[in-house]
Amino acid sequence: MDDGFNEFLHVPARLSIVALLAPTSWTEFGFLRDAIPTSDSALSKHLSSLAAKGYVEVRKDKHVGGRRTLVRLTPDGRQQFRRHAAALERIVATARTPQVGELDS
């Protein structure tokens, strides 16, 4: 397997979360929940796992009408996602490259 491939991040829900967080600074919990789509409890579990690895930071803010939960990638999380995405790109590129001895149909 490619050195950059990250089995922890490759879980579909986690990969979706970090992909959604990658182009942003802070992202609201509700946006992530709706974009994936998943339940609050399932998203919380994935975020807790990602936070335990140091890949995301979770912040709870007070605002008009109550509290909101914000999430962002940590520098390490951003680096791990980039490495994993690059590994996936290399895997796909290999699949698209004709192999020596391959027969054309």
Side-chain angles (χ1 to χ4, degrees):
M1 189 65 56
D2 190 289
D3 285 345
F5 189 87
N6 185 320
E7 288 191 36
F8 177 80
L9 283 183
H10 199 66
V11 171
R14 291 184 202 140
L15 187 56
S16 295
I17 292 165
V18 295
L20 287 166
L21 294 175
T24 68
S25 177
W26 288 96
T27 303
E28 289 194 36
F29 181 94
F31 173 81
L32 292 172
R33 179 198 58 227
D34 296 344
I36 292 179
T38 190
S39 67
D40 287 358
S41 62
L43 179 57
S44 290
K45 287 177 186 178
H46 285 296
L47 290 175
S48 292
S49 295
L50 288 162
K53 285 282 231 184
Y55 291 175
V56 300
E57 180 181 348
V58 179
R59 181 175 84 191
K60 297 187 184 281
D61 284 348
K62 292 181 183 177
H63 77 291
V64 177
R67 296 177 59 107
R68 67 181 181 172
T69 301
L70 301 171
V71 185
R72 73 173 174 186
L73 282 177
T74 63
D76 185 44
R78 190 170 304 281
Q79 178 183 17
Q80 292 297 324
F81 173 66
R82 286 182 182 146
R83 289 186 69 214
H84 185 65
L88 292 175
E89 289 171 357
R90 287 189 295 274
I91 291 166
V92 170
T94 300
R96 290 186 177 145
T97 304
Q99 303 298 310
V100 174
E102 181 179 278
L103 297 175
D104 291 328
S105 305

